[in-house]
Amino acid sequence: MIHEAVQERYHNPSSYQFRRIASKTVVSFGPDDPENPVNWGKGKKFFILASGMMQVLNSTIGSSIPSGAIEYIAKDFNVTDQEKLVLPISLFLVGYVLGPLLYGPLSEQFGRRPPVVIGYVLFCIFSMACALAPSMPALLVFRLLNGMAAAAPIAVVSGVYADINNDPTKRGRTMAWYMACTAVGPIISPFMSGFISKVSWRWAFWLSLIIAGASFPCVVFFPETYAPVLLQRRARKLRKETGNKGIVAPLDLIPHDLRATVTVTLTRPLRMIIKEYMVSLTCFYLALAYAIFYLYFQAYPLIFEGIYGMSPGIAGLTYLPIAVGCFLACGIFIWYDGYLARAKARGAAWAQNEDYRRLPLACIGGPLYVVSLFWLGWTASPNIHWAVPMTSGVIFGLAYELIFMAMLNYLSDAYETFANSAQSASSCCRSLFGAVLPLAAKPMFNRVGIDWGCSIIAFISLGVSIIPFAFIYFGKQIRQNSKMCQHLQILKEEERRAWEEAAAYQSTVHPTADVEKGPSVSEDAVTRNNVDKETV
């Protein structure tokens, strides 16, 4: 029998909700529960939005901060091997490969706040270590560790935004601004480090630390947003208040032993890459686009410093049109969301297709990405004004953001509860490509020239741009054949059935109570979750 204090809250639709499972009482959020992150006020949600963007900005600024300081680092440490001079950025991106495999899955087990705080503290420590590095090998080691720490917000923040927005439209628009920050950070770093490194290249890393320090309040007051962890805290509090040891949260019913953590939680992103076609194809497409983005940090100095004779600081300013394109993409994304909503309201047949919610933007971005690469490659010439190749950055940034906004939101919409693992898989793959491809940039451009070098990657980009078109036509079949998508649908159905049972029980005991539909957890859902844990 349910404890008296528990029973009272169970029958209050505006407060706690409970579901009996064998000898356990499972707590969940009731309708309009103020502790549910999706019901938090606008002010609190805005703080989370701004805080997440600031943390991502710290991370992405750090990724390319050495680009304007490379010339000064080479002189100080007497490095003449050009390939070694790519490593301060590439090794940071290798850290981006390793970090999400840890932070993303663990955030789905222990909550969002711990990875964010730990990552922030380590990022500050290793940024300081980079500024104080006594040698080139030491700098490279610190950059690797700095990248691993900086991966925390990249892996977690998108999940945070999904936690506080259950409306796909609001979630998509929030993600649009978030992804603009991920692109703008690396773009503004080169000119900042290019100018400040005239004093000392170490000031580039001190600047990164100063910027990170400015976001300290955002991290200190960053709340936990992961509903299962919040319910776990609620259950712990109720056990203390009532003395009923049988009150648990859904997360308490899932094994958290070391074996389960290692074999299930931490391996989920890798298994999604291997077994989920939607994840693997998206990862490949985004990895190539991301790698080309970071290849630009090798190509632009060759073009604007080599061909046009600009200083590192001035050459860093040529990245700014890419930022303009990124923010234009945000406007297009928001316009399309409104256009789609109006089409759904009037009952347009095409708008009922789930794949049209995001993918058409990637279908536009893919070809534009190819155009921008050809534009840059064939206009970078002493006979053509520097403004012409620089302007290609507007189209490049626009296309890059449209691709990422569409494909990453598509993953979040498809995998919902496991969105962080899907995002971690994507982050891992694109960071791996981003770390490796730029190593080949200078040899490729030196061998075939800027024009044909850009053309090669443009032709490859053209080939993968068919992926969003394929998802539009075959996305439904892919989701139907996906074990993880099937598992999510089963859980949703079980939650709906459990709530109907709870509502029926409540209406029997309190016929006049006003019952609204809300989340709960059934015995079948928990049992199935435990049965499927090895594959999900």
Side-chain angles (χ1 to χ4, degrees), residues 165-180:
N165 292 297
N166 57 352
D167 176 25
T169 299
K170 291 182 179 179
R171 182 173 66 239
R173 293 180 178 182
T174 301
M175 287 289 291
W177 292 111
Y178 155 75
M179 282 181 274

Side-chain angles (χ1 to χ4, degrees), residues 70 119 301 466 496 515:
I70 289 295
I466 65 171
R496 183 190 63 79
V515 181

Side-chain angles (χ1 to χ4, degrees), residues 456-511:
I456 290 172
I457 56 178
F459 283 123
I460 297 173
S461 299
L462 181 62
V464 299
S465 64
I466 65 171
I467 290 175
F469 291 94
F471 281 169
I472 287 178
Y473 286 99
F474 304 109
K476 185 176 181 180
Q477 295 94 309
I478 294 174
R479 286 193 297 276
Q480 287 175 344
N481 295 326
S482 164
K483 289 185 178 180
M484 195 162 288
C485 289
Q486 292 172 11
H487 178 77
L488 287 170
Q489 289 301 317
I490 291 171
L491 287 182
K492 285 182 180 180
E493 179 61 23
E494 293 294 348
E495 287 177 4
R496 183 190 63 79
R497 286 172 48 197
W499 178 262
E500 289 176 352
E501 293 173 15
Y505 172 78
Q506 180 173 326
S507 63
T508 300
V509 180
H510 291 274

Side-chain angles (χ1 to χ4, degrees), residues 94-110:
V94 171
Y96 269 7
V97 175
L98 302 174
L101 295 177
L102 177 67
Y103 294 121
L106 290 181
S107 74
E108 294 171 345
Q109 184 165 321
F110 300 107

Side-chain angles (χ1 to χ4, degrees), residues 220-394:
V220 170
F221 298 107
F222 193 78
E224 180 58 64
T225 63
Y226 193 44
V229 169
L230 295 176
L231 287 172
Q232 199 173 42
R233 293 177 182 176
R234 173 177 285 184
R236 189 182 303 120
K237 179 181 178 182
L238 288 173
R239 285 196 299 269
K240 184 177 180 180
E241 290 178 353
T242 65
N244 184 353
K245 303 301 182 183
I247 299 176
V248 296
L251 203 59
D252 294 324
L253 300 173
I254 301 173
H256 284 161
D257 56 274
L258 181 61
R259 178 181 176 275
T261 299
V262 173
T263 61
V264 179
T265 304
L266 293 182
T267 61
R268 188 180 296 133
L270 294 177
R271 287 184 283 110
M272 292 180 82
I273 293 173
I274 297 170
K275 297 181 179 180
E276 298 288 319
Y277 293 121
M278 206 173 337
V279 174
S280 56
L281 290 174
T282 299
C283 285
F284 179 65
Y285 189 17
L286 296 183
L288 180 65
Y290 189 80
I292 293 171
F293 179 80
Y294 273 91
L295 183 142
Y296 265 43
F297 293 106
Q298 309 303 319
Y300 266 41
L302 291 175
I303 294 170
F304 295 104
E305 294 178 35
I307 296 176
Y308 294 105
M310 297 180 181
S311 67
I314 298 298
L317 294 172
T318 60
Y319 292 96
L320 294 182
I322 300 177
V324 174
C326 291
F327 285 110
L328 286 176
C330 288
I332 293 174
F333 185 94
I334 292 171
W335 169 83
Y336 179 75
D337 253 11
Y339 176 73
L340 179 63
R342 291 190 294 273
K344 283 186 174 181
R346 67 173 183 269
W350 69 269
Q352 310 310 314
N353 185 340
E354 185 68 20
D355 298 303
Y356 279 116
R357 179 184 291 168
R358 312 294 186 193
L359 294 176
L361 296 175
C363 294
I364 297 171
L368 286 178
Y369 203 66
V370 176
V371 169
S372 69
L373 292 169
F374 280 122
W375 183 342
L376 176 68
W378 291 96
T379 60
S381 168
N383 301 321
I384 300 176
H385 195 275
W386 54 263
V388 178
M390 186 181 77
T391 307
S392 70
V394 177

